[in-house]
């Protein structure tokens, strides 16, 4: 990945639908983006992605299986993408066309399921009654096909407060990896879900201890986090997000007009990626990554442009953090 050319994205998150079967308390897409393209324009976007030739395409949403043209999209991507990730709350696994379409491609397709608790009550408190049962049934269906799966959890205050139980639950469910993401509150009513800086710091220490415990399940902290001096860093310079209407953004959490590269319906992929403002933002992301890695603080929940842009998150940053001085938002 480090040797990947910078003239095109390494990975693309394609939010193929804004529709969802759930209404999660921590969702960044409150109200849901319900605009989807017709089949002709959906195929135009798919062909544009092919011109970019990324290594990974993540199908997300909303819930990807609710996209009107989900089977067509999945079938098209399986014809050329080296690696596909389907990010689901479990609902997509029951789409009648899902398992037949991916048959024979299992080694190129990864399933990532959302987990937001350490048991049914805690998960359902975030995602709604019955959501944990659906998740478990989806896991049984996946295991019945002898397919591995990973899980993704958002670091809400409840998850941070019960982080070891969440880790153990994911391992018991059979996940091969558990990836954590920072919670990005979008509305005032979501602030009660937001962990404190101390909550995050304690959580990262528990994650580190779990990583070295010998567990067969891989654990990935948020990319912004720094543990024992190591930080994955913001991957925005090597990726982009495509919304259901074909608009392209640097980051899933940067879907504001200021950060829109353009539309794959109206512009060529090459023109979008080489747009001067987009290249300046990628330079900015790289500079922030380098600054954060060079910071003498060995353990830190970390920061990124999306955090700096969010006042509810930025207020928790320590005064010594050097990144706000680089922020150009």
């Amino acid at each position: 990945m480090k040797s990947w050319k910078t003239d095109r994205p390494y990975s693309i998150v394609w939010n193929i639908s804004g529709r969802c079967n759930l209404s999660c308390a921590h969702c960044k897409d409150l109200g849901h983006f319900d605009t989807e393209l017709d089949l002709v324009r959906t195929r135009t976007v798919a062909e544009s992605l092919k011109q970019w030739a990324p290594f990974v395409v993540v199908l997300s949403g909303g819930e990807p299986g609710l996209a009107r043209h989900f089977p067509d999209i999945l079938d098209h991507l399986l014809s050329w993408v080296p690696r596909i990730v389907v990010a689901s709350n479990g609902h997509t696994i029951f789409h009648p066309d899902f398992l037949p379409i991916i048959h024979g491609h299992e080694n190129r397709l990864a399933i990532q399921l959302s987990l937001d608790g350490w048991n049914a009550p805690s998960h359902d408190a975030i995602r709604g009654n019955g959501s944990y049962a659906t998740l478990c049934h989806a896991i049984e269906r996946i295991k019945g096909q002898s397919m591995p799966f990973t899980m993704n959890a958002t670091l809400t205050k409840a998850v941070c407060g019960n982080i070891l139980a969440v880790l153990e639950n994911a391992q018991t469910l059979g996940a091969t990896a558990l990836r954590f993401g920072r919670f990005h509150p979008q509305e005032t009513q979501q602030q009660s879900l937001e962990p404190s800086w101390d909550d995050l710091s304690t959580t990262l220490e528990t994650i580190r201890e779990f990583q070295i415990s010998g567990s067969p399940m891989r654990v990935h902290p948020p990319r912004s986090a720094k543990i024992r001096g190591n930080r994955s860093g913001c991957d925005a310079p090597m990726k982009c997000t495509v919304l259901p209407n074909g608009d392209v953004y640097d980051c899933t959490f940067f879907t504001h007009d200021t950060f829109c590269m353009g539309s794959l319906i109206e512009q060529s992929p090459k023109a979008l990626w080489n747009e001067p403002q987009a290249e300046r933002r990628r330079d900015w992301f790289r500079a922030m990554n380098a600054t954060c890695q060079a910071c003498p603080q060995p353990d830190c929940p970390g920061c990124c442009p999306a955090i700096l842009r969010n006042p509810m998150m930025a207020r928790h940053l320590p005064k010594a953090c050097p990144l706000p001085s680089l922020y150009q938002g």
Side-chain angles (χ1 to χ4, degrees):
M1 183 170 173
K2 289 183 178 179
S3 61
W4 188 261
K5 295 179 180 179
T6 57
D7 59 348
R8 55 195 171 99
Y10 174 87
S11 67
I12 296 172
V13 177
W14 187 5
N15 294 328
I16 59 176
S17 175
R19 294 188 295 164
C20 190
N21 57 304
L22 302 179
S23 184
C24 301
H26 63 6
C27 184
K28 67 178 178 62
D29 296 319
L30 294 177
H32 300 303
F33 193 104
D34 198 31
T35 300
E36 287 185 31
L37 301 172
D38 58 32
L39 182 57
V40 172
R41 290 188 292 177
T42 295
R43 288 175 174 170
T44 297
V45 172
E47 284 298 322
S48 294
L49 300 190
K50 188 175 182 179
Q51 291 181 46
W52 262 332
F55 182 75
V56 181
V57 173
V58 180
L59 290 181
S60 187
E63 179 64 12
L66 292 176
R68 296 177 182 90
H69 309 299
F70 173 68
D72 190 89
I73 292 170
L74 185 57
D75 190 52
H76 182 282
L77 295 178
L78 283 169
S79 71
W80 63 270
V81 180
R83 185 73 169 168
I84 299 172
V85 178
V86 176
S88 170
N89 59 41
H91 181 85
T92 295
I93 310 306
F94 298 99
H95 191 291
D97 295 319
F98 180 64
L99 291 180
I101 289 175
I102 67 172
H103 180 69
H105 300 283
E106 290 87 350
N107 62 328
R108 294 171 46 226
L109 186 134
I111 298 173
Q112 181 176 290
L113 300 173
S114 299
L115 177 69
D116 283 292
W118 51 100
N119 53 26
S122 57
H123 182 89
D124 288 1
I126 291 290
R127 294 188 165 265
N129 291 337
S131 57
Y132 190 78
T134 298
L135 173 67
C136 291
H137 290 153
I139 290 173
E140 291 174 5
R141 189 176 177 90
I142 294 167
K143 288 180 176 178
Q145 301 297 314
S146 300
M147 291 182 65
F149 66 94
T150 66
M151 306 195 89
N152 183 77
T154 301
L155 289 176
T156 58
K157 190 174 186 65
V159 167
C160 286
N162 298 273
I163 187 63
L164 184 57
V166 172
L167 287 161
E168 292 173 343
N169 187 32
Q171 183 170 261
T172 299
L173 290 171
T176 59
L178 176 59
R179 292 173 171 83
F180 289 100
R182 287 287 294 273
F183 171 50
H184 291 252
Q186 303 297 311
E187 302 288 345
T188 303
Q189 66 263 33
Q190 291 184 321
Q191 283 188 271
S192 62
L193 302 175
E194 187 182 10
S196 69
W197 193 261
D198 287 342
D199 291 335
L200 290 168
S201 298
T202 302
T203 295
L204 293 178
E205 181 60 29
T206 303
I207 289 175
R208 189 192 75 83
E209 292 174 355
F210 193 88
Q211 285 176 321
I212 63 177
S213 68
S215 167
M217 183 180 73
R218 304 185 308 279
V219 182
H220 305 277
R223 297 191 66 87
S224 62
K226 194 174 182 182
I227 301 179
R228 293 296 184 264
N230 295 313
R231 177 182 188 265
S232 296
C234 171
D235 56 354
M238 303 176 71
K239 69 183 293 186
C240 63
T241 293
V242 181
L243 295 191
N245 65 352
D247 287 348
V248 183
Y249 293 82
D250 302 289
C251 169
T252 298
F253 296 101
F254 257 28
T255 51
H256 307 279
D257 289 344
T258 305
F259 302 98
C260 183
M261 295 184 192
S263 170
L264 287 173
I265 301 299
E266 302 170 356
Q267 298 156 275
S268 74
K270 184 176 180 179
L272 288 182
W273 190 255
N274 293 329
E275 195 268 327
Q277 288 278 49
E279 184 53 45
R280 278 195 288 272
R281 286 195 298 273
R282 286 194 289 273
D283 288 340
W284 171 40
F285 296 145
R286 294 184 191 101
M288 296 187 79
N289 279 339
T291 299
C292 188
Q293 187 60 48
C295 175
Q297 180 69 29
D299 299 282
C300 177
C303 185
C304 73
I307 292 173
L308 288 171
R309 185 177 173 81
N310 189 324
M312 286 183 279
M313 301 180 76
R315 62 193 171 97
H316 295 302
L317 291 173
K319 293 180 180 180
C321 180
L323 296 188
S325 64
L326 296 176
Y327 183 51
Q328 300 173 11

